[in-house]
Amino acid sequence: HAKVAAACSDSPTPELVDHADDMLGQLTDCDRGEAQATVPPEPAQRVAVNKLRDSLADADVLVGRGDYAGARTALLPVVASARQLGYMPALAEALQRLGHVELQLQDPKAEADLSEAAKLAASARDDRAAVRAWTDLLTAAGNQPDHPDLFTSTVIAAETEAARTGDPADQAAIDLVKG
């Protein structure tokens, strides 16, 4: 919370202004905390999960500044730690963030990481992470104009997840990509 808010208040750069909506969206996700996941972390996992989420907030600040390469560098060990921890909602969040950054960098790994994030988030019933992953996958599908069927099927999956969250901002993000 504090890290993202501080980044927004400290002499914002044009990149930070461009990505303020993403960063503010992450703040609302922080407010939901573990409530968005069906199964909360085990007591022994809680400290590690909170540390992972702090690291995700640090990466969100880098993304807000337009430093996608720095964010990818920061997120790779977070994903590795989340895998080792074995708490699926945290791994889904980390993979979604990494896939989002990779998508901005046109990294071919983006789709695989986002697909894994969507699958893990769905199995953990973390609709927030799932809709973000599917929205990013929709962006990736839109970058492949030779495969309109892929875009159409991805729209269906993304809109299904948006219906589960019931958050108009999720549907608006999808509509923006569709446009």
Side-chain angles (χ1 to χ4, degrees):
H1 251 108
K3 293 175 187 179
V4 176
C8 289
S9 64
D10 292 345
S11 57
T13 63
E15 293 84 7
L16 188 64
V17 172
D18 288 343
H19 301 286
D21 58 337
D22 287 337
M23 293 178 69
L24 293 173
Q26 300 301 340
L27 280 178
T28 60
D29 287 350
C30 290
D31 285 338
R32 292 185 182 111
E34 296 167 8
Q36 71 186 25
T38 301
V39 179
E42 296 293 326
Q45 294 176 314
R46 285 189 185 142
V47 170
V49 168
N50 288 337
K51 185 177 176 184
L52 284 172
R53 288 190 170 138
D54 283 346
S55 297
L56 291 176
D58 291 339
D60 290 340
V61 171
L62 293 172
V63 169
R65 292 182 176 151
D67 183 4
Y68 297 114
R72 177 175 49 192
T73 299
L75 285 166
L76 288 169
V78 176
V79 169
S81 294
R83 280 193 197 285
Q84 186 174 14
L85 181 63
Y87 179 60
M88 292 303 108
L91 179 55
E93 288 177 52
L95 281 166
Q96 184 277 319
R97 301 291 217 304
L98 178 60
H100 178 79
V101 166
E102 290 168 335
L103 188 61
Q104 307 311 308
L105 294 169
Q106 299 180 351
D107 187 325
K109 295 177 186 172
E111 288 182 62
D113 287 336
L114 290 167
S115 294
E116 185 180 1
K119 184 186 293 185
L120 289 170
S123 69
R125 297 188 182 172
D126 184 347
D127 296 331
R128 175 72 49 196
V131 76
R132 288 179 182 270
W134 277 110
T135 302
D136 283 335
L137 284 166
L138 185 60
T139 299
N143 292 334
Q144 301 177 40
D146 296 339
H147 301 285
D149 54 327
L150 175 62
F151 188 82
T152 301
S153 61
T154 308
V155 165
I156 293 167
E159 288 183 336
T160 299
E161 286 300 333
R164 286 190 180 118
T165 69
D167 188 340
D170 292 331
Q171 184 61 51
I174 293 166
D175 290 343
L176 183 63
V177 175
K178 284 168 49 178

